[in-house]
Amino acid sequence: MQLRSQIVETACAIAKKEGWPAVSVRKIADAIEYSAPILYEHFENKESLLEAIRRDGFAQLNAGFRDIKALYRSPEKQLTEVALLTWEFARNRPEVFEVMFNLGGAYSASKEVYAAEMSHENNVVWEMIAAFKPRFAESVNKTYQEWWVVTFGFIIIKMTVALKESNGYNENLYMENVRRYLRSVL
């Protein structure tokens, strides 16, 4: 398990420095001083490596979301903290966020992870929204989808379109939009 973690960490370090297109099994193997066949024992190919990083990224965010739900009672406060945690995650781990959302050359054809993440079943953010806006399920689902657009969409635009710290795509604007959205669905 330690080698598997080392492979993931090395892939992320290469991506952070050179971008995901520069990540290859050969480059990872050279960096950690193992042969490529050893790496293939842990990951079938680059796609399976990206899939593992994607799943781990969503798992890390979801663990943080569950902690927030346990810590705060107010659904509005919970969702505000979820938005802030999402922003911080993307800022501190951009290479993982890129994999999570097929950005920066970290493309994966798999839709399985997204379907699982967007599902309302056992989804703590959906539960927060349901508590925030307790209506019928269709209304909660719509609000939940809008939440993804407001939070993740803003971050993705920041990462793909906006220059670093320019064009007003900053944390203050992000949180202002999150708060405005939450007020609009009250």
Side-chain angles (χ1 to χ4, degrees):
M1 204 49 137
Q2 184 178 357
L3 179 56
R4 185 178 173 90
S5 295
Q6 188 178 9
I7 294 167
V8 168
E9 288 173 21
T10 302
C12 289
I14 293 168
K16 193 169 195 170
K17 185 176 181 181
E18 302 175 42
W20 281 106
V23 175
S24 68
V25 172
R26 169 69 50 211
K27 193 175 266 190
I28 296 167
D30 291 345
I32 63 174
E33 300 177 350
Y34 277 91
S35 67
I38 298 293
L39 273 66
Y40 285 119
E41 290 177 16
H42 295 277
F43 296 100
E44 182 179 322
N45 51 33
K46 184 176 175 180
E47 171 93 10
S48 66
L49 171 63
L50 293 176
E51 203 61 37
I53 293 168
R54 180 174 291 110
R55 288 182 193 283
D56 289 349
F58 279 117
Q60 289 172 20
L61 269 182
N62 286 325
F65 298 163
R66 283 189 295 279
D67 291 345
I68 288 168
K69 186 175 185 215
L71 188 60
Y72 300 103
R73 289 196 150 173
S74 162
E76 184 174 5
K77 178 65 173 169
Q78 290 171 342
L79 290 167
T80 301
E81 291 299 318
V82 162
L84 189 56
L85 176 68
T86 304
W87 178 269
E88 290 298 320
F89 183 90
R91 190 180 73 165
N92 294 327
R93 301 292 315 270
E95 70 285 354
V96 174
F97 197 87
E98 286 175 342
V99 172
M100 290 166 64
F101 291 97
N102 285 340
L103 305 172
Y107 182 75
S108 170
S110 172
K111 303 294 183 208
E112 178 182 308
V113 174
Y114 303 110
E117 291 306 317
M118 288 295 292
S119 171
H120 65 275
E121 294 178 28
N122 300 317
N123 188 300
V124 69
V125 175
W126 189 93
E127 292 169 7
M128 290 174 195
I129 290 170
F132 185 70
K133 187 177 182 176
R135 307 262 193 288
F136 54 95
E138 185 178 313
S139 175
V140 175
N141 288 339
K142 179 182 178 285
T143 303
Y144 176 63
Q145 291 170 355
E146 291 169 351
W147 175 258
W148 271 72
V149 171
V150 169
T151 55
F152 289 94
F154 187 98
I155 294 168
I156 290 168
I157 289 170
K158 162 79 172 136
M159 292 179 80
T160 59
V161 177
L163 301 173
K164 292 196 186 296
E165 304 308 321
S166 67
N167 300 329
Y169 286 93
N170 59 37
E171 182 180 340
N172 291 335
L173 180 61
Y174 170 73
M175 291 307 296
E176 178 183 319
N177 279 289
V178 166
R179 288 182 188 99
R180 184 180 309 128
Y181 175 73
L182 290 173
R183 284 191 304 269
S184 77
V185 295
L186 282 173

